[in-house]
């Protein structure tokens, strides 16, 4: 018996009676252990049951676990408190418990925080609200006092249907007071509105004809599903190759075998286009789970997923934490997308955790992308992942030709950002009645405002970052903390008027240039700050699809999965943006983004063209984009990762130390660094001031842990963290295993 088990046993209340009467529960807070509670009057409680328990002076929601979690402290059974009651929602499946424990161990986040995500931000665990409506009482007595409004209500409700009071009043053209009156009079009665059942996707609804390459891919993926065992397939094919159509067949197989299916997409790629395609193939739209899903809907979905009443969920990363009853397949589309990494409270990579979930559930997972991550490429090469390749576009149309535009020899006009070559291409496309897209991954009008007189640069008071001018909203905004100011008329430093100059372009400035050159062109600006909700975004995308737009200017939200049939020309305004020194994935990310954006061009029209404006035409990323030689690029990246012991050849973890006081932050960073245990094949770099040295008023320092691949970084970090002296004042330490952010 190992030491831990031994000590846990000793610490338990020991009399046999008590042993049957208490259970371990996990509370959805930042606590890394379970607590024991007496079962009391409520009799037996199965693992996974949601219960109410007293904590301090309050009653809290908790989940009954099947064994103790974390380090337990001895408690006398006399001191144990009692469970206050059960909550009437389906039990959390055992596999969801194992998954939560796994993520907690891996990310070093408290188990309670994972449970918090699992129960869907408390809504699912809230008391179940029933919706009431009214219904006509059959054989109700005739009333002596019938007003015309009452007669209309009776006429409408005589069909026996259940309606909400508001609906009934609206249909009858009266106030709800009339409806209330009829309830009192016994003509109508309050009834519970039954929950509407979810439409079930039909795997055989509409079959697709596949070309030869697609047939092979379909066969491989279906075989993986039919094997009903854990496997990872990397579905790798250029944009327009038909990856979606192909993985839909794997979805169909899983559905036919009565398994639940989860399709994970980056939030922004959850377009209505995708939902329509699903509906065409399976006869109904799938259930969606993302930030725009309403609270009441979330509750319903949560329950229905647990009961197995929903077969397919399409969602953003948090959909991974739904309580699936019999999940049998996960698809991660756009698997390379860094949006799968969450950096808020629990730092987790949803793609990687999806692989873990599949492994726990012993079922297959499919990762799809036109530009797979280096990690997935390596896994495919070593045979850990099955590599399923779709070599060309389904339409047979070639990928667009990409032309570099050297900004040194073809500079834009003074104060402008588009070179004559690009402007000419836009003009031709416009004359052909086709669409163009200009891509710049920078929101707002100008990233920097500078005083010509004193040289002052307008900076965020809480972050080490410039304030970005947003002309549409007439504000200066910090992109790191959201702090905003009205646009300034004079220099805040020297007080001079008319001396502020705007440096560099954001998408708003590019749109202004376009409007000046092509005043009659129909344009649209796609930027997350101007189109804040998924629904508004869907409307704009629909306009573009239907050809109501000539020129699109957008940030990276244009890169995700859209299919614009009339798009012929794509221009990358600044190909050099994003080559950062500190981020090992910077080159990969630039490549993916540019490849995805240019891949939008010429999907259905002939002669798609792409242009990349650059000061560094010889840079390997730019070269890879121009030549389209992805393999050479991937090869180079892999070699660099290998040489630098970077992921996936080595493991990384970031420790970020922060405090309001500059000196306290620094001192704490050094004391954290001094506590680092010595270990073979683990290097601790730093402490160093973070590139973003101040964020939201807190000074930041970083440490980076680099370890060989076979090292258990988590236990190293745990040992380390246990040795760190307690922080002074408000100093904080946060740990990010597998970091994607190096700022
Ligand atoms: P990807 O996901 O690889 O970018 P899609 O699945 O979106 O590619 O396919 C690109 C376009 O080609 C879509 O309009 C899709 O409907 C069409 N397509 C792909 N394969 C087929 C097929 N076998 N039959 C009919 N249309 C197809
Ligand atoms: Zn700020």
């Amino acid at each position: 018996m190992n030491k831990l088990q031994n000590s846990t046993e000793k610490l338990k209340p020991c009399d046999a009676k008590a042993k049957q009467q208490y259970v371990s529960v996990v509370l959805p807070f930042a606590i890394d252990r379970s607590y024991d509670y007496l079962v009391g009057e409520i009799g037996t409680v199965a693992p996974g049951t949601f219960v109410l328990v007293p904590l301090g002076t309050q009653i809290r929601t908790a989940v009954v676990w099947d064994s103790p979690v974390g380090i337990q402290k001895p408690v006398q059974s006399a001191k144990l408190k009692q469970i206050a009651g059960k909550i009437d929602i389906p039990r959390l499946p055992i596999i969801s418990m194992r998954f939560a424990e796994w993520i907690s161990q891996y990310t070093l986040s408290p188990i309670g925080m994972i449970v918090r995500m699992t129960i869907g931000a408390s809504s699912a665990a809230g008391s179940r609200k029933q919706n009431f409506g009214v219904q006509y009482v059959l054989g109700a007595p005739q009333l002596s006092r019938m007003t015309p409004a009452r007669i209309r209500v009776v006429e409408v409700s005589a069909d026996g249907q259940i309606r909400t009071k508001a609906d009934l009043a609206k249909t009858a053209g009266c106030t709800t007071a009339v409806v209330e009156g009829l309830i009192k009079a016994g003509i109508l009665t309050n009834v519970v509105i039954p929950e509407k059942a979810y439409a079930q996707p039909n795997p055989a609804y509409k079959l697709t004809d596949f070309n030869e390459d697609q047939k092979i891919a379909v066969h491989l993926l279906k075989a993986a599903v039919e094997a009903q065992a854990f496997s990872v397939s990397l579905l790798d094919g250029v944009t327009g190759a038909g990856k979606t159509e192909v993985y839909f067949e794997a979805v169909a197989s899983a559905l036919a075998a009565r398994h639940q299916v989860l399709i994970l997409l980056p939030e922004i790629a959850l377009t209505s286009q995708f939902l329509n395609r699903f509906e065409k193939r399976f006869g109904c739209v799938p259930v969606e789970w993302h930030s725009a899903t309403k609270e009441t809907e979330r509750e319903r979905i949560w329950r229905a997923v647990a009961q197995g009443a929903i077969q397919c969920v399409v969602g953003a990363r948090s959909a991974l934490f739904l309580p699936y009853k019999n999940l049998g397949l996960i698809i991660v589309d756009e698997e390379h997308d860094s949006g799968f990494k969450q950096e808020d409270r629990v730092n987790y990579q949803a793609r990687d955790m999806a692989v873990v979930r599949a492994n726990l559930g012993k079922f297959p997972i499919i990762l799809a992308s036109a530009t797979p991550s280096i990690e997935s490429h390596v896994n495919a090469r070593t045979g850990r992942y099955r590599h399923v390749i779709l070599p060309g576009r389904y339409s047979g149309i070639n990928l667009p030709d990409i032309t570099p535009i050297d900004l040194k020899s073809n500079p834009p006009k003074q104060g402008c950002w588009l070179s004559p070559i690009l402007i000419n291409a836009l003009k031709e496309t416009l004359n052909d009645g086709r669409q163009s897209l200009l891509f710049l991954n920078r929101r707002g009008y100008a990233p920097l405002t500078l005083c010509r007189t004193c040289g002052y640069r307008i900076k965020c008071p809480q972050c080490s970052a410039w304030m970005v001018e947003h002309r549409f909203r007439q504000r200066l905004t910090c992109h790191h903390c959201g702090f905003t100011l009205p646009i300034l008329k004079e220099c805040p430093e020297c007080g001079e008027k008319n001396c502020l100059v705007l440096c560099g372009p954001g998408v708003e400035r590019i749109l202004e240039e376009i409007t000046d050159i092509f005043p009659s062109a129909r344009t649209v600006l796609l930027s997350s700050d101007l189109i804040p909700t998924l629904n508004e975004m869907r409307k704009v995308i629909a306009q573009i699809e239907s050809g109501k737009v000539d020129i699109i200017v957008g940030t990276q939200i244009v890169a995700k999965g859209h299919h614009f049939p009339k798009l012929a020309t794509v221009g990358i305004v600044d190909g050099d943006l994003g080559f950062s020194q500190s981020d090992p994935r910077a080159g990969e990310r630039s490549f993916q983004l540019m490849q995805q954006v240019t891949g939008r061009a010429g999907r259905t029209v002939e002669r798609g063209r792409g242009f990349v404006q650059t000061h560094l035409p010889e840079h390997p990323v730019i070269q890879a984009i121009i030549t389209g030689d992805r393999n050479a690029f991937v090869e180079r990246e892999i070699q660099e990762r290998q040489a630098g012991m970077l992921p996936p050849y080595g493991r990384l973890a970031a420790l970020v130390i922060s405090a309001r006081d500059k000196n306290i932050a620094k001192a704490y960073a050094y004391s954290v660094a001094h506590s680092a245990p010595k270990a073979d094949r683990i290097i601790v770099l730093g402490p160093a001031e973070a590139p973003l040295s101040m964020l939201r008023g807190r000074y930041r320092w970083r440490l980076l842990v680099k370890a060989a691949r076979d090292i258990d970084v988590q236990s190293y970090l745990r040992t380390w963290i246990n040795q760190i002296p307690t922080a002074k004042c408000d100093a904080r330490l946060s740990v990010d295993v597998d970091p994607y952010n190096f700022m």
Side-chain angles (χ1 to χ4, degrees):
M1 188 180 280
N2 71 34
K3 215 167 122 201
L4 187 73
Q5 267 176 335
N6 206 350
S7 63
T8 320
E9 220 146 79
K10 261 199 220 129
L11 302 173
K12 283 285 172 197
C14 51
D15 53 309
K17 209 170 146 214
K19 224 168 198 165
Q20 291 163 6
Q21 288 176 340
Y22 69 83
V23 288
S24 299
V25 309
V26 176
L27 289 129
F29 307 115
I31 309 172
D32 203 20
R33 55 164 293 196
S34 60
Y35 289 96
D36 290 339
Y37 280 85
L38 293 169
V39 174
E41 325 296 58
I42 61 170
T44 53
V45 273
T49 306
F50 283 82
V51 289
L52 293 167
V53 296
L55 184 76
T57 57
Q58 285 178 316
I59 297 286
R60 301 290 195 176
T61 301
V63 186
V64 175
W65 225 251
D66 56 351
S67 55
V69 189
I71 298 165
Q72 306 285 311
K73 295 204 183 103
V75 186
Q76 287 169 348
S77 44
K79 287 217 173 140
L80 289 180
K81 290 189 184 164
Q82 241 181 53
I83 290 177
K86 288 190 205 180
I87 304 175
D88 177 27
I89 53 169
R91 291 206 297 264
L92 190 68
I94 299 288
I95 197 164
S96 295
M97 296 184 200
R98 295 295 86 78
F99 187 43
E101 288 166 1
W102 208 101
I103 296 180
S104 159
Q105 286 283 322
Y106 190 85
T107 61
L108 276 83
S109 310
I111 182 80
M113 293 306 286
I114 319 290
V115 167
R116 193 191 176 97
M117 298 195 294
T118 306
I119 65 181
S122 84
S123 70
S127 62
R128 176 174 167 184
K129 280 187 235 90
Q130 284 180 322
N131 291 321
F132 284 91
V134 289
Q135 193 176 23
Y136 182 68
V137 178
L138 268 183
Q142 281 282 320
L143 279 192
S144 49
R145 273 187 52 249
M146 285 296 276
T147 59
R150 284 184 159 193
I151 293 171
R152 283 199 305 277
V153 172
V154 170
E155 278 171 3
V156 173
S157 59
D159 61 3
Q161 270 192 41
I162 301 170
R163 293 181 177 82
T164 63
K165 286 176 198 165
D167 273 352
L168 179 54
K170 196 172 160 213
T171 317
C174 63
T175 62
T176 50
V178 180
V179 176
E180 296 284 358
L182 287 169
I183 297 171
K184 273 207 194 100
I187 306 283
L188 297 173
T189 182
N190 283 309
V191 286
V192 173
I193 301 176
E195 286 199 4
K196 98 174 173 276
Y198 287 95
Q200 298 302 334
N202 174 1
Y205 182 75
K206 187 172 174 298
L207 300 180
T208 315
D209 283 328
F210 289 104
N211 66 27
E212 291 309 311
D213 291 326
Q214 291 178 330
K215 273 185 197 157
I216 297 168
V218 167
H219 174 78
L220 290 170
L221 297 183
K222 283 184 102 144
V225 173
E226 277 151 22
Q228 301 209 5
F230 170 66
S231 67
V232 189
S233 305
L234 176 63
L235 178 57
D236 174 7
V238 294
T239 48
K243 294 184 293 296
T244 317
E245 303 290 337
V246 166
Y247 74 62
F248 274 172
E249 295 314 299
V251 172
S253 288
L255 293 174
R258 307 234 149 264
H259 287 301
Q260 286 173 308
V261 177
L262 165 63
I263 304 176
L264 281 182
L265 283 164
E267 170 112 8
I268 217 85
L270 281 158
T271 56
S272 22
Q273 208 170 41
F274 182 87
L275 304 177
N276 294 343
R277 286 178 68 179
F278 187 95
E279 186 177 13
K280 270 196 193 137
R281 174 64 184 82
F282 296 107
C284 69
V285 286
V287 170
E288 297 171 59
W289 181 272
H290 44 67
S291 64
T293 310
K294 288 200 200 85
E295 197 73 349
T296 44
E297 190 58 21
R298 279 173 184 266
E299 247 176 86
R300 272 185 72 207
I301 295 173
W302 199 95
R303 262 182 280 126
V305 165
Q307 287 157 344
I310 287 177
Q311 270 215 289
C312 185
V313 177
V314 174
R317 61 185 182 222
S318 59
L320 197 53
F321 296 98
L322 285 168
Y324 300 94
K325 190 178 180 203
N326 68 339
L327 191 57
L329 174 66
I330 302 179
I331 314 273
V332 183
D333 201 349
E334 314 276 352
E335 70 91 29
H336 62 278
D337 196 291
S338 49
F340 282 122
K341 173 76 194 224
Q342 167 160 308
E343 277 152 0
D344 175 25
R345 285 189 263 200
V346 180
N347 296 314
Y348 70 94
Q349 210 319 345
R351 175 201 59 214
D352 297 349
M353 293 308 120
V355 173
V356 170
R357 181 64 181 80
N359 196 357
L360 287 173
K362 302 187 176 59
F363 58 76
I365 176 166
I366 298 168
L367 311 179
S369 175
T371 51
S373 59
I374 295 298
E375 283 85 348
S376 294
H377 272 297
V378 171
N379 281 325
R381 286 185 179 197
T382 55
R384 284 156 60 100
Y385 293 0
R386 182 182 290 119
H387 202 172
V388 181
I389 299 172
L390 289 173
R393 280 180 163 176
Y394 172 73
S395 59
I397 296 171
N398 286 333
L399 282 168
D401 288 331
I402 314 285
T403 312
I405 301 174
D406 187 342
L407 290 173
K408 289 184 298 262
S409 44
N410 290 289
K413 265 198 338 217
Q414 176 81 34
C416 294
W417 313 97
L418 305 176
S419 78
I421 300 177
L422 188 51
I423 293 172
N424 194 42
L426 295 174
K427 198 179 287 166
E428 284 171 12
T429 313
L430 206 54
N431 290 343
D432 289 349
R434 288 178 177 164
Q435 281 173 339
S436 302
L437 181 153
L438 290 176
F439 168 76
L440 177 64
N441 204 8
R442 212 191 256 141
R443 288 179 285 133
Y445 186 85
L448 170 65
T449 311
L450 178 102
C451 172
R452 208 185 305 136
T453 313
C454 73
Y456 180 76
R457 296 158 174 225
I458 301 177
K459 202 175 145 286
C460 173
Q462 318 185 73
C463 306
S464 48
W466 313 129
M467 296 292 284
V468 179
E469 175 162 331
H470 285 251
R471 195 161 278 190
F472 284 109
R473 308 182 152 213
Q474 285 292 305
R475 307 289 295 179
L476 288 163
T477 302
C478 169
H479 283 185
H480 296 281
C481 71
F483 176 79
T484 79
L485 286 173
I487 289 178
L488 303 175
K489 300 264 186 302
E490 53 196 53
C491 172
E493 189 71 8
C494 68
E496 265 301 298
K497 289 202 171 58
N498 301 322
C499 62
L500 296 174
V501 250
L502 294 160
C503 305
V507 274
E508 293 179 8
R509 201 168 195 175
I510 300 300
L511 181 73
E512 184 184 81
E513 191 172 334
I514 288 294
T515 321
D516 282 348
I517 306 172
F518 306 108
S520 57
R522 297 164 302 172
T523 56
V524 67
L525 187 54
L526 275 177
S527 178
S528 57
D529 57 319
L530 297 171
I531 308 176
T533 70
L534 193 59
N535 284 337
E536 283 172 59
M537 162 90 175
R538 286 179 180 177
K539 281 186 210 147
V540 179
I541 299 283
Q543 273 188 345
I544 299 174
E545 273 164 38
S546 62
K548 295 202 180 87
V549 172
D550 301 315
I551 303 175
I552 307 146
V553 179
T555 60
Q556 60 165 339
I557 67 175
V558 302
K560 308 287 160 68
H562 311 301
H563 180 64
F564 301 142
K566 293 186 78 180
L567 188 63
T569 302
V570 170
I572 290 176
V573 176
D574 186 350
D576 312 335
L577 203 65
F579 296 158
S580 134
Q581 299 295 317
S582 54
D583 183 345
R585 292 189 188 84
E588 175 190 351
R589 204 140 49 209
S590 285
F591 174 78
Q592 284 161 343
L593 206 47
M594 286 197 259
Q595 181 96 333
Q596 294 271 348
V597 174
T598 51
R600 305 290 132 220
R603 298 244 277 180
T604 41
V605 293
E606 293 287 348
R607 223 169 68 86
R609 291 190 296 174
F611 294 88
V612 184
Q613 300 197 134
T614 175
H615 286 99
L616 308 162
E618 303 305 323
H619 191 287
V621 172
I622 303 280
Q623 281 299 316
I625 289 293
I626 294 161
T627 57
D629 190 351
R630 189 186 79 175
N631 290 345
F633 175 74
V634 169
E635 194 58 49
R636 207 179 138 269
E637 281 290 304
I638 288 180
Q639 275 170 19
E640 278 187 8
R641 300 275 182 101
Q642 208 160 8
M645 229 173 69
L646 291 164
Y649 295 99
R651 296 183 184 279
L652 294 182
L655 277 71
V656 179
I657 292 104
S658 69
R660 294 216 155 257
D661 182 275
K662 199 171 183 173
N663 293 324
I664 290 179
K666 184 175 176 183
Y668 192 48
Y670 276 94
S671 85
V672 168
H674 286 316
S675 320
K678 294 263 170 302
D680 257 3
R681 296 183 303 135
I682 297 183
I683 306 167
V684 178
L685 301 169
E689 204 170 22
L692 186 61
S693 59
M694 187 164 76
L695 177 64
R696 295 172 205 276
R698 298 180 68 86
Y699 289 88
R700 303 167 74 245
W701 284 70
R702 298 183 70 104
L703 288 147
L704 187 67
V705 179
K706 276 174 93 171
R709 205 192 138 75
D710 55 336
I711 283 189
D712 181 354
V713 180
Q714 280 78 9
S715 27
Y716 175 79
L717 290 170
R718 245 177 240 115
T719 313
W720 182 359
I721 290 166
N722 284 334
Q723 294 172 6
I724 293 172
T726 347
K728 276 211 198 97
C729 308
D730 68 334
R732 273 203 300 258
L733 166 69
S734 77
V735 181
D736 186 359
V737 177
D738 302 338
Y740 277 62
N741 182 341
F742 295 82
M743 293 301 281

